[in-house]
Amino acid sequence: MRGIQTPIKKLRKQVFTEVARVAFESKDINNDIEAIPYKITPGDVPLYRESIYRERAICSERVRLAMGLSLRPDDEPVHVTSGLDASNVAEKYYEPPLMQVIPSACDMCEDNVYEVSDQCRGCIAHPCVEVCPKGAITFENGKSHIDKSKCIKCGKCKAICPYDAIARKMRPCAAACGVRAIGSDEHGRAKIDNDKCVSCGQCMVSCPFSAIADKSQIFQLIQAMKQGSVIVELAPAVIGQFGDDVRLWKIKSALREIGFSDVYEVALGADIGAITEARHYVHEVKTGKLPFLLTSCCPAWSMLAKRTLPDMVETVSSALTPMVATARTIKQRHPESKIVFVGPCAAKKLEASRRTVRSDVDFVITFEELEAIFAAKGIDMETYDCEEPIHDATGAGRGYAVAGGVANAIEKCINEYYPDTDVYIEHAEGLDECQKMLLLAKAGKKDGCLIEGMGCPGGCVAGAGTNIAVSKASQAVRKFVKDSTTALPPKEYSKIELP
């Protein structure tokens, strides 16, 4: 549904915008936060739900998540602003888990159910009856009928029906989850298994009721902006996210105007990563020290790889991710400044908080959240006409934003700097395909390969926090890569010492 201006897109932007506006302007934060649901759903006629009270209750939970707070319990009287004192800070604030189902918003969709539609013509052959291994299909009033208590959901009836009259009903969020992390609670509402979830956010963008949301850091980020220097690092997927003619220079100028101290390209860290992983492949895989090398820039893929291959974690590249490499470069130059990563990915919020590798990233927000901050400050990127130059990276690093771009950048670096080395590339996109790839690698079927994994189908441009259609974003990034003045990073990037 990305790229379509649905009511869900409008509602989410309204919530983020109002929370940002409160953070920038409010003199009475408690009262102004409590008022947001009434600003978004005014009057006494519901806009989307059967009740104005339910609409406001759901909106209240969205407001809490937008402030980094957890959902309120269903059976206790808790104010919208409960816990505000803890989250009203100028530093990162995070209460796990990141992804949460808003119970009052969930429509309790049936999951994995087969039903006969009105397209059934009651044909004489009735092949659906014949192929059912459990005798769950009978003829009633001249039509097929499925006994759900006997059905084992094998799908044979649907596959053989000549009229496509049997439908498989899937819960959209569960269908989008490549790690099977979504089940049901005792009421039939969606429930996330946090032990399986890798926080890619595909469930969030697939729910037609917007019943799943991640926690935001925009409230704390704005507090930090008001108190000191905050520097932005922009992910390469940013191209095209704020309008067809909104190029990087314009985005940098707008960010500076609303109060950020400076802006860097995360593609700088991608350049460092590409040449570093090229060296790792040549010196570790081609020498037989490792059977294969897995890229590490996608946090959802990296997390999945470490869970799938617990005895082979050394095959996950040890190169710093582009976000972290860029942040450390910035910290070397501006040690007193805070850093915010602005990108397409919800999972980056967890990567920035992990303890195993210090990220140097203080905040993470998505393009969707930044769009709301622009709106809160009255900036319309379509009509904004100021620009400020930025040249931090090469085409190789900028190409990290699309599926295949990471492996392509590393391969080009190998071909340029290690010309006598044969490189074997594999890549997978979407967690379901990533899981299959990892199992093949574990079985020894991918030895000698450089394997790129992207948790979102299409790559970073398909992340949960993007604003435009994946195909459109991919096209914009590829043009940006083609137009880059420099194609590859210098080999010396592999020797950069980052603290």
Side-chain angles (χ1 to χ4, degrees):
M1 291 184 284
R2 277 161 295 182
I4 304 173
Q5 294 302 311
T6 65
I8 286 174
K9 175 74 173 174
K10 175 185 175 183
L11 284 167
R12 285 177 59 84
K13 183 176 180 180
Q14 284 179 306
V15 170
F16 288 135
T17 301
E18 292 302 329
V19 168
R21 189 171 286 125
V22 168
F24 277 121
E25 304 171 1
S26 177
K27 300 296 190 293
D28 186 352
I29 290 179
N30 278 273
N31 185 65
D32 290 341
I33 289 294
E34 293 275 3
I36 290 176
Y38 295 86
K39 291 183 69 174
I40 292 176
T41 55
D44 57 3
V45 178
L47 300 175
Y48 309 108
R49 304 278 182 169
E50 76 284 355
S51 162
I52 191 72
Y53 306 108
R54 186 181 178 195
E55 281 196 9
R56 287 178 182 149
I58 295 170
C59 186
S60 296
E61 300 308 318
R62 298 193 197 286
V63 169
R64 285 185 61 82
L65 293 174
M67 297 180 65
L69 296 168
S70 293
L71 301 174
R72 295 174 295 175
D74 292 333
D75 56 353
E76 295 179 22
V78 177
H79 283 290
V80 177
T81 53
S82 177
L84 177 61
D85 289 344
S87 71
N88 187 18
V89 292
E91 58 192 34
K92 185 186 302 176
Y93 179 79
Y94 174 59
E95 294 180 2
L98 179 66
M99 292 288 168
Q100 294 204 285
V101 178
I102 303 172
S104 54
C106 182
D107 201 53
M108 297 177 284
C109 307
E110 289 184 288
D111 189 25
N112 199 20
V113 175
Y114 286 86
E115 287 186 352
V116 179
S117 73
D118 58 5
Q119 296 300 308
C120 177
R121 299 179 65 84
C123 63
I124 296 174
H126 47 69
C128 56
V129 175
E130 305 305 326
V131 300
C132 180
K134 294 298 181 179
I137 303 180
T138 56
F139 257 38
E140 296 181 8
N141 300 319
K143 303 287 184 180
S144 292
H145 173 76
I146 299 175
D147 184 341
K148 294 179 182 179
S149 66
K150 294 181 180 180
C151 178
I152 59 171
K153 305 176 177 64
C154 65
K156 291 182 178 180
C157 57
K158 175 176 174 60
I160 204 166
C161 177
Y163 297 106
D164 195 23
I166 297 176
R168 184 188 184 192
K169 297 170 69 175
M170 288 285 290
R171 174 176 276 158
C173 57
C177 180
V179 293
R180 311 293 184 265
I182 297 181
S184 300
D185 67 9
E186 63 275 18
H187 303 293
R189 299 174 300 204
K191 182 179 181 180
I192 298 173
D193 184 341
N194 294 308
D195 292 330
K196 295 180 179 180
C197 178
V198 294
S199 299
C200 67
Q202 291 302 304
C203 59
M204 178 172 70
V205 297
S206 298
C207 176
F209 288 88
S210 191
I212 302 177
D214 62 338
K215 290 176 177 172
S216 177
Q217 298 171 5
I218 58 174
F219 191 73
Q220 295 80 26
L221 167 62
I222 293 169
Q223 303 299 338
M225 289 172 61
K226 290 161 64 176
Q227 293 187 21
S229 171
V230 178
I231 295 175
V232 173
E233 51 170 350
L234 270 179
V238 70
I239 303 303
Q241 293 293 324
F242 299 98
D244 294 342
D245 299 320
V246 180
R247 65 176 185 161
L248 192 60
W249 291 19
K250 186 178 291 189
I251 297 170
K252 177 180 179 180
S253 179
L255 287 166
R256 298 264 290 175
E257 183 169 323
I258 63 177
F260 291 105
S261 302
D262 207 346
V263 181
Y264 286 77
E265 287 187 73
V266 172
L268 165 65
D271 281 336
I272 295 171
I275 195 66
T276 302
E277 291 190 341
R279 178 170 56 86
H280 287 178
Y281 179 80
V282 172
H283 291 195
E284 295 176 26
V285 177
K286 299 303 288 187
T287 59
K289 293 179 182 178
L290 291 176
F292 49 82
L293 184 68
L294 307 177
T295 59
S296 62
C297 54
C298 172
W301 153 260
S302 181
M303 190 182 305
L304 178 64
K306 291 173 182 177
R307 290 179 183 176
T308 306
L309 310 175
D311 300 325
M312 304 176 73
V313 292
E314 71 279 1
T315 61
V316 179
S317 173
S318 60
L320 296 177
T321 67
M323 177 183 79
V324 175
T326 306
R328 292 195 180 180
T329 302
I330 296 170
K331 280 289 188 183
Q332 286 181 330
R333 302 172 186 175
H334 309 278
E336 303 303 317
S337 293
K338 292 186 181 296
I339 297 173
V340 55
F341 171 84
V342 179
C345 181
K348 285 291 184 182
K349 296 178 181 181
L350 292 187
E351 182 190 334
S353 299
R354 69 184 179 184
R355 298 178 181 178
T356 52
V357 178
R358 192 186 79 248
S359 74
D360 283 317
V361 176
D362 298 281
F363 306 99
V364 173
I365 64 170
T366 64
F367 300 141
E368 180 186 31
E369 291 164 340
L370 177 58
E371 184 179 49
I373 292 176
F374 282 147
K377 295 297 286 183
I379 290 180
D380 180 354
M381 293 304 296
E382 293 284 1
T383 59
Y384 189 77
D385 59 1
C386 297
E387 292 189 345
E388 190 170 336
I390 179 170
H391 294 286
D392 293 328
T394 72
R398 289 166 176 169
Y400 266 50
V402 295
V406 178
N408 183 58
I410 299 169
E411 182 179 18
K412 285 183 176 179
C413 288
I414 292 172
N415 291 337
E416 178 71 21
Y417 302 119
Y418 308 94
D420 296 326
T421 302
D422 293 327
V423 54
Y424 303 101
I425 300 294
E426 292 280 1
H427 93 268
E429 50 188 285
L431 291 173
D432 199 24
E433 293 302 314
C434 285
Q435 182 80 63
K436 294 175 185 176
M437 180 67 73
L438 290 169
L439 293 175
L440 288 171
K442 185 177 183 179
K445 304 294 185 181
K446 300 298 176 183
D447 285 359
C449 291
L450 169 69
I451 306 174
E452 173 200 312
M454 288 287 189
C456 299
C460 299
V461 290
T466 53
N467 295 326
I468 62 176
V470 177
S471 58
K472 185 175 181 180
S474 298
Q475 184 178 3
V477 169
R478 289 192 175 98
K479 184 179 185 304
F480 187 47
V481 170
K482 183 180 179 181
D483 293 344
S484 297
T485 54
T486 306
L488 291 176
K491 189 175 181 180
E492 293 73 39
Y493 273 24
S494 66
K495 301 175 183 177
I496 291 177
E497 294 293 333
L498 294 174

